[in-house]
Amino acid sequence: MSALFEPLTLRSLTIPNRIWMAPMCMYSAAPDGPEQGVPNDWHFQHLASRAAGGTGLILTEATAVSPEGRISPYDLGLWNDRQTGAFRRITDFLKAHGSVPGIQIAHAGRKASTERTWVDRGAAIAPGEGHGWRPVGPSPLAFDEASTEPAELSAEEIQEIVGQFAATARRALEAGFEVAEIHGAHGYLINEFLSPYTNRRTDEYGGSYENRTRFALEVVDAVRAVWPEELPVFFRISATDWLSENADDEREGWTAEDTVRFAADLKAHGVDLLDTSTGGNAPGAKIVAGPDYQVPFAERVKKETGLPVGAVGLITEAQQAEKIVVDGRADAVLIGRELLRDPYFARNAARELGADVHIPNPYHRS
């Protein structure tokens, strides 16, 4: 029996295998009008084809809690009824074909209002230009010299965003999702609050570790309060800003030690799995990437806290993914770019490893 194809049960939800689709923005939704942020035929085929390919859990792209929370004007959102209904079409299909539908709930913070990645390499869109708007953040610090300085959030505005996360989670449940993942990684709003590199506040949301993690835990509590007790909540984290790992970089950032400490806090607040990525918050940080390069961060969280973890990053081969799970380094692997190249990665991996995977009835002849 392949470990990669053993089911995983979190709370009362059983995910049929350990090959999961990582959230990947498609930048393909309407930027304005009644279809703003609404999943369309492109999103349907993108997600549905991976279900036909045997993927155990399929997470949507970062789905914004408000128009201002989108990374780009072309991102998905979940703040109105039209969006909820369109997602239902997708989740019904995923469940009918053996996959668990999950949603990544997000706010882009200071990295909002950018172009699609294939247009000017995702450059910032200035407020008032095109579909641009002024982003927000914990502190008025632009991501880089080409980005717009964000407006510093007040304590009242922070609470409004906490409520938006809860409202989106409630809509996600109505839309048929079975896993809610809170996006706290890659330099987006929650990550910005966590890291001293981006959080320069002096109120109850800045300064100490307890203050910098306050917003994230308030979001977790708000989502957990509206999400059913029997269904899991995930949290995606950047386990490091990749500043402390570089002796030549004097900037202070979020560290692997912070992540282990925070993972224990998340576990106590009802989070069921830590989706463990890295980076994205500090431009110019030195990252040495390669196969499995982020797996040690997930492994450490699992060993030191007991919280289930997902491993990500340049996982491209069936045997590679199998070994990560067999060795107990992670409970599941989240595949991104390789699933773009091969929507049937799970089915092909099952064949290679001598395992069984769900195959839609029309495909049984093959």
Side-chain angles (χ1 to χ4, degrees):
M1 179 65 181
S2 163
L4 199 58
F5 288 91
E6 290 181 1
L8 177 64
T9 298
L10 297 168
R11 296 192 182 240
S12 297
L13 179 70
T14 297
I15 303 170
N17 62 56
R18 313 297 180 95
I19 296 176
W20 299 352
M21 182 174 175
M24 291 175 282
C25 289
M26 293 289 102
Y27 307 108
S28 298
D32 55 15
E35 297 299 314
Q36 183 186 58
V38 175
N40 53 40
D41 286 348
W42 172 262
H43 302 95
F44 180 88
Q45 71 78 29
H46 168 63
L47 300 170
S49 61
R50 277 74 193 176
T55 308
L57 168 68
I58 295 175
L59 287 161
T60 66
E61 66 182 70
T63 302
V65 300
S66 67
E68 299 75 24
R70 293 171 296 168
I71 301 168
S72 85
Y74 306 93
D75 288 359
L76 294 180
L78 188 50
W79 62 79
N80 65 39
D81 291 343
R82 187 184 292 263
Q83 295 158 346
T84 305
F87 272 120
R88 169 63 77 173
R89 176 189 176 215
I90 294 172
T91 60
D92 284 349
F93 184 93
L94 301 188
K95 287 187 278 191
H97 293 279
S99 295
V100 171
I103 184 170
Q104 187 181 74
I105 303 171
H107 192 297
R110 71 174 185 162
K111 293 176 76 175
S113 189
T114 64
E115 259 296 355
R116 292 159 289 186
T117 54
W118 58 87
V119 178
D120 295 331
R121 302 184 68 181
I125 305 174
E129 292 186 8
H131 299 288
W133 64 93
R134 188 180 183 189
V136 298
S139 303
L141 302 170
F143 178 69
D144 57 27
E145 293 181 356
S147 299
T148 302
E149 180 183 294
E152 180 172 295
L153 289 164
S154 68
E156 292 75 18
E157 289 169 331
I158 292 170
Q159 287 306 302
E160 182 180 352
I161 293 174
V162 170
Q164 290 170 347
F165 271 90
T168 293
R170 192 180 293 110
R171 286 188 176 278
L173 184 65
E174 183 182 344
F177 288 101
E178 296 178 302
V179 171
E181 176 171 278
I182 298 165
H183 197 354
H186 302 158
Y188 300 120
L189 186 62
I190 292 176
N191 190 183
E192 293 164 20
F193 271 90
L194 293 175
S195 175
Y197 175 71
T198 40
N199 186 343
R200 311 292 175 83
R201 301 175 72 95
T202 57
D203 64 359
E204 67 270 31
Y205 289 99
S208 67
Y209 165 88
E210 290 79 10
N211 284 357
R212 287 184 285 107
T213 60
R214 187 184 307 278
F215 171 58
L217 293 177
E218 288 179 346
V219 169
V220 169
D221 289 344
V223 169
R224 188 76 265 181
V226 301
W227 199 247
E229 182 68 22
E230 66 271 16
L231 294 178
V233 169
F234 294 2
F235 190 98
R236 185 163 231 201
I237 196 165
S238 282
T240 176
D241 286 338
W242 290 104
L243 299 178
S244 62
E245 287 78 10
N246 183 3
D248 296 329
D249 200 324
E250 297 180 353
R251 295 177 292 177
E252 181 185 6
W254 183 261
T255 68
E257 289 72 26
D258 292 327
T259 293
V260 172
R261 180 180 179 184
F262 188 51
D265 294 338
L266 291 171
K267 184 178 180 182
H269 283 255
V271 167
D272 301 286
L273 181 138
L274 192 69
D275 179 358
T276 314
S277 187
T278 64
N281 194 41
K286 184 178 180 181
I287 302 173
V288 181
D292 292 359
Y293 77 105
Q294 297 181 118
V295 176
F297 298 97
E299 180 181 15
R300 181 175 175 185
V301 168
K302 182 175 174 63
K303 288 184 176 179
E304 295 188 27
T305 71
L307 181 67
V309 296
V312 307
L314 294 179
I315 300 170
T316 60
E317 304 289 341
Q319 294 287 352
Q320 174 193 12
E322 173 82 357
K323 183 172 174 55
I324 291 169
V325 177
V326 167
D327 291 349
R329 305 183 75 191
D331 298 275
V333 294
L334 288 101
I335 309 293
R337 290 176 176 85
E338 191 60 27
L339 266 174
L340 296 183
R341 292 185 281 265
D342 179 9
Y344 300 95
F345 178 87
R347 186 177 177 187
N348 293 328
R351 183 183 298 113
E352 180 178 338
L353 298 170
D356 293 323
V357 70
H358 174 81
I359 298 173
N361 288 335
Y363 288 0
H364 274 285
R365 290 188 299 272
S366 60

Tab-separated table of all heavy atoms in Angstrom, residues 289-313:
chain	number	residue	atom	x	y	z
A	289	ALA	N	16.607	27.562	-3.705
A	289	ALA	CA	15.513	26.637	-3.996
A	289	ALA	C	16.039	25.369	-4.642
A	289	ALA	O	17.064	25.374	-5.330
A	289	ALA	CB	14.489	27.304	-4.899
A	290	GLY	N	15.306	24.284	-4.421
A	290	GLY	CA	15.619	22.992	-5.019
A	290	GLY	C	14.586	21.991	-4.551
A	290	GLY	O	13.726	22.311	-3.707
A	291	PRO	N	14.611	20.778	-5.073
A	291	PRO	CA	13.639	19.772	-4.653
A	291	PRO	C	13.606	19.622	-3.129
A	291	PRO	O	14.659	19.539	-2.475
A	291	PRO	CB	14.145	18.497	-5.338
A	291	PRO	CG	14.866	18.988	-6.548
A	291	PRO	CD	15.521	20.267	-6.124
A	292	ASP	N	12.408	19.638	-2.574
A	292	ASP	CA	12.174	19.453	-1.131
A	292	ASP	C	12.705	20.606	-0.266
A	292	ASP	O	12.769	20.479	0.951
A	292	ASP	CB	12.809	18.151	-0.624
A	292	ASP	CG	12.150	16.900	-1.160
A	292	ASP	OD1	11.174	17.019	-1.922
A	292	ASP	OD2	12.617	15.788	-0.832
A	293	TYR	N	13.060	21.749	-0.850
A	293	TYR	CA	13.755	22.771	-0.069
A	293	TYR	C	12.910	23.359	1.050
A	293	TYR	O	13.450	23.907	2.032
A	293	TYR	CB	14.288	23.889	-0.974
A	293	TYR	CG	13.274	24.904	-1.480
A	293	TYR	CD1	13.206	26.181	-0.942
A	293	TYR	CD2	12.387	24.573	-2.501
A	293	TYR	CE1	12.299	27.114	-1.411
A	293	TYR	CE2	11.478	25.491	-2.979
A	293	TYR	CZ	11.434	26.760	-2.437
A	293	TYR	OH	10.512	27.669	-2.910
A	294	GLN	N	11.576	23.236	0.950
A	294	GLN	CA	10.717	23.761	2.015
A	294	GLN	C	10.224	22.673	2.970
A	294	GLN	O	9.633	22.981	4.008
A	294	GLN	CB	9.518	24.502	1.404
A	294	GLN	CG	9.954	25.718	0.598
A	294	GLN	CD	8.809	26.501	-0.003
A	294	GLN	OE1	8.615	27.663	0.305
A	294	GLN	NE2	8.039	25.869	-0.884
A	295	VAL	N	10.484	21.428	2.632
A	295	VAL	CA	9.983	20.312	3.450
A	295	VAL	C	10.525	20.342	4.873
A	295	VAL	O	9.783	20.046	5.823
A	295	VAL	CB	10.283	18.969	2.763
A	295	VAL	CG1	9.843	17.795	3.655
A	295	VAL	CG2	9.575	18.889	1.418
A	296	PRO	N	11.796	20.699	5.110
A	296	PRO	CA	12.285	20.707	6.498
A	296	PRO	C	11.479	21.599	7.438
A	296	PRO	O	11.388	21.309	8.640
A	296	PRO	CB	13.727	21.205	6.362
A	296	PRO	CG	14.126	20.796	4.988
A	296	PRO	CD	12.884	20.972	4.153
A	297	PHE	N	10.904	22.665	6.928
A	297	PHE	CA	10.109	23.550	7.782
A	297	PHE	C	8.820	22.849	8.232
A	297	PHE	O	8.421	22.944	9.392
A	297	PHE	CB	9.790	24.847	7.042
A	297	PHE	CG	11.003	25.653	6.675
A	297	PHE	CD1	11.568	25.565	5.406
A	297	PHE	CD2	11.605	26.493	7.605
A	297	PHE	CE1	12.693	26.299	5.067
A	297	PHE	CE2	12.735	27.237	7.277
A	297	PHE	CZ	13.285	27.132	6.002
A	298	ALA	N	8.188	22.146	7.301
A	298	ALA	CA	6.994	21.376	7.661
A	298	ALA	C	7.356	20.260	8.635
A	298	ALA	O	6.658	20.033	9.633
A	298	ALA	CB	6.360	20.794	6.397
A	299	GLU	N	8.448	19.572	8.352
A	299	GLU	CA	8.878	18.457	9.198
A	299	GLU	C	9.115	18.917	10.632
A	299	GLU	O	8.723	18.240	11.595
A	299	GLU	CB	10.155	17.854	8.617
A	299	GLU	CG	10.705	16.687	9.385
A	299	GLU	CD	11.988	16.148	8.761
A	299	GLU	OE1	12.589	16.859	7.909
A	299	GLU	OE2	12.386	15.023	9.116
A	300	ARG	N	9.741	20.056	10.786
A	300	ARG	CA	10.027	20.549	12.135
A	300	ARG	C	8.746	20.856	12.906
A	300	ARG	O	8.622	20.512	14.088
A	300	ARG	CB	10.917	21.786	12.051
A	300	ARG	CG	11.285	22.334	13.414
A	300	ARG	CD	12.260	23.485	13.328
A	300	ARG	NE	12.478	24.052	14.653
A	300	ARG	CZ	13.200	25.136	14.896
A	300	ARG	NH1	13.817	25.768	13.893
A	300	ARG	NH2	13.348	25.602	16.135
A	301	VAL	N	7.787	21.494	12.239
A	301	VAL	CA	6.504	21.784	12.898
A	301	VAL	C	5.834	20.494	13.343
A	301	VAL	O	5.346	20.378	14.477
A	301	VAL	CB	5.577	22.581	11.961
A	301	VAL	CG1	4.150	22.622	12.509
A	301	VAL	CG2	6.106	23.994	11.762
A	302	LYS	N	5.806	19.504	12.466
A	302	LYS	CA	5.158	18.227	12.788
A	302	LYS	C	5.821	17.554	13.986
A	302	LYS	O	5.146	17.071	14.903
A	302	LYS	CB	5.200	17.319	11.565
A	302	LYS	CG	4.525	15.966	11.753
A	302	LYS	CD	4.508	15.184	10.449
A	302	LYS	CE	3.975	13.772	10.645
A	302	LYS	NZ	2.573	13.780	11.111
A	303	LYS	N	7.148	17.540	13.990
A	303	LYS	CA	7.867	16.854	15.063
A	303	LYS	C	7.778	17.580	16.393
A	303	LYS	O	7.706	16.958	17.448
A	303	LYS	CB	9.335	16.664	14.656
A	303	LYS	CG	9.539	15.609	13.580
A	303	LYS	CD	11.016	15.396	13.273
A	303	LYS	CE	11.202	14.261	12.271
A	303	LYS	NZ	12.629	14.043	11.926
A	304	GLU	N	7.781	18.920	16.357
A	304	GLU	CA	7.853	19.673	17.609
A	304	GLU	C	6.495	20.046	18.184
A	304	GLU	O	6.414	20.382	19.366
A	304	GLU	CB	8.707	20.929	17.402
A	304	GLU	CG	10.161	20.614	17.096
A	304	GLU	CD	11.053	21.841	17.087
A	304	GLU	OE1	10.721	22.827	17.795
A	304	GLU	OE2	12.078	21.826	16.377
A	305	THR	N	5.443	20.004	17.352
A	305	THR	CA	4.122	20.399	17.854
A	305	THR	C	3.066	19.311	17.719
A	305	THR	O	2.029	19.384	18.383
A	305	THR	CB	3.605	21.649	17.124
A	305	THR	OG1	3.264	21.308	15.775
A	305	THR	CG2	4.635	22.759	17.123
A	306	GLY	N	3.280	18.341	16.826
A	306	GLY	CA	2.266	17.322	16.577
A	306	GLY	C	1.149	17.773	15.673
A	306	GLY	O	0.229	16.999	15.378
A	307	LEU	N	1.202	19.032	15.213
A	307	LEU	CA	0.183	19.524	14.293
A	307	LEU	C	0.406	18.903	12.917
A	307	LEU	O	1.529	18.941	12.400
A	307	LEU	CB	0.252	21.047	14.198
A	307	LEU	CG	-0.770	21.743	13.295
A	307	LEU	CD1	-2.185	21.583	13.859
A	307	LEU	CD2	-0.438	23.229	13.135
A	308	PRO	N	-0.618	18.319	12.285
A	308	PRO	CA	-0.447	17.819	10.918
A	308	PRO	C	0.014	18.930	9.985
A	308	PRO	O	-0.351	20.095	10.156
A	308	PRO	CB	-1.854	17.321	10.559
A	308	PRO	CG	-2.464	16.954	11.871
A	308	PRO	CD	-1.944	17.996	12.836
A	309	VAL	N	0.815	18.540	8.979
A	309	VAL	CA	1.389	19.530	8.072
A	309	VAL	C	1.291	19.061	6.632
A	309	VAL	O	1.269	17.863	6.340
A	309	VAL	CB	2.877	19.822	8.411
A	309	VAL	CG1	3.013	20.458	9.774
A	309	VAL	CG2	3.720	18.547	8.321
A	310	GLY	N	1.244	20.033	5.731
A	310	GLY	CA	1.390	19.788	4.311
A	310	GLY	C	2.711	20.364	3.851
A	310	GLY	O	3.131	21.431	4.313
A	311	ALA	N	3.387	19.637	2.952
A	311	ALA	CA	4.675	20.083	2.421
A	311	ALA	C	4.504	20.559	0.996
A	311	ALA	O	3.707	20.006	0.229
A	311	ALA	CB	5.695	18.944	2.476
A	312	VAL	N	5.250	21.595	0.625
A	312	VAL	CA	5.125	22.207	-0.698
A	312	VAL	C	6.507	22.513	-1.259
A	312	VAL	O	7.510	22.490	-0.549
A	312	VAL	CB	4.303	23.509	-0.648
A	312	VAL	CG1	2.964	23.292	0.027
A	312	VAL	CG2	5.065	24.613	0.093
A	313	GLY	N	6.554	22.822	-2.558
A	313	GLY	CA	7.746	23.389	-3.158
A	313	GLY	C	8.600	22.433	-3.950
A	313	GLY	O	9.311	21.601	-3.374
